[in-house]
Amino acid sequence: MADFTLPVTSLAAVATGVIYLILTWRVIRMRRADGIVLGDNGDRIMEKRIRGHANAAEQMPMALIVMALTELQGGNGMALAILAALFTLGRALHAIYFTRHGTHWRFRVWGMSATLIAQAGLLVLLTVTALT
């Protein structure tokens, strides 16, 4: 049987999974504290937390899939590790903005910039790996 270990993807999944759990918990905690069953109840802070959580759900899966495909095909491990770290850093910065009321908007910009740069790099790395 072939060895399908994916150490870079696995570590990225653990790190981004922790970020996702924190985002989920922050939404649940506020829902319980404010008695919000569905939606955001017109609360801007709740809306911000919901969007931060949703954005993570939108961004993380595809990046992890691309990482896994690259790793399975024997892509450059160092490049993959750097891009995975940049992606995770981007998600963490983005999460800080969305979970901490009053956090400077630059965390969101830096977070999404790092996320998008990492995603573009991951796509290029997968393309190069697949074609060579």
Side-chain angles (χ1 to χ4, degrees), residues 42-104:
D43 186 314
R44 299 270 304 155
I45 296 171
M46 185 65 185
E47 177 184 18
K48 186 176 173 183
R49 287 188 183 178
I50 291 169
R51 278 306 313 145
H53 180 255
N55 187 275
E58 295 160 1
Q59 300 297 322
M60 291 177 179
M62 187 54 70
L64 291 170
I65 290 167
V66 172
M67 285 179 210
L69 289 170
T70 302
E71 203 162 11
L72 282 169
Q73 294 179 56
N76 183 308
M78 182 59 72
L80 181 61
I82 291 167
L83 290 168
L86 180 62
F87 179 78
T88 303
L89 174 64
R91 297 320 306 161
L93 291 172
H94 195 262
I96 290 168
Y97 172 78
F98 277 93
T99 59
R100 299 282 180 201
H101 182 64
T103 302
H104 198 282

Side-chain angles (χ1 to χ4, degrees), residues 4-5 14 22 36 40 59 62-63 72 81 84 96 99 106 111:
F4 291 116
T5 61
V14 168
I22 292 167
I36 301 171
D40 58 28
Q59 300 297 322
M62 187 54 70
L72 282 169
I96 290 168
T99 59
R106 286 191 177 124

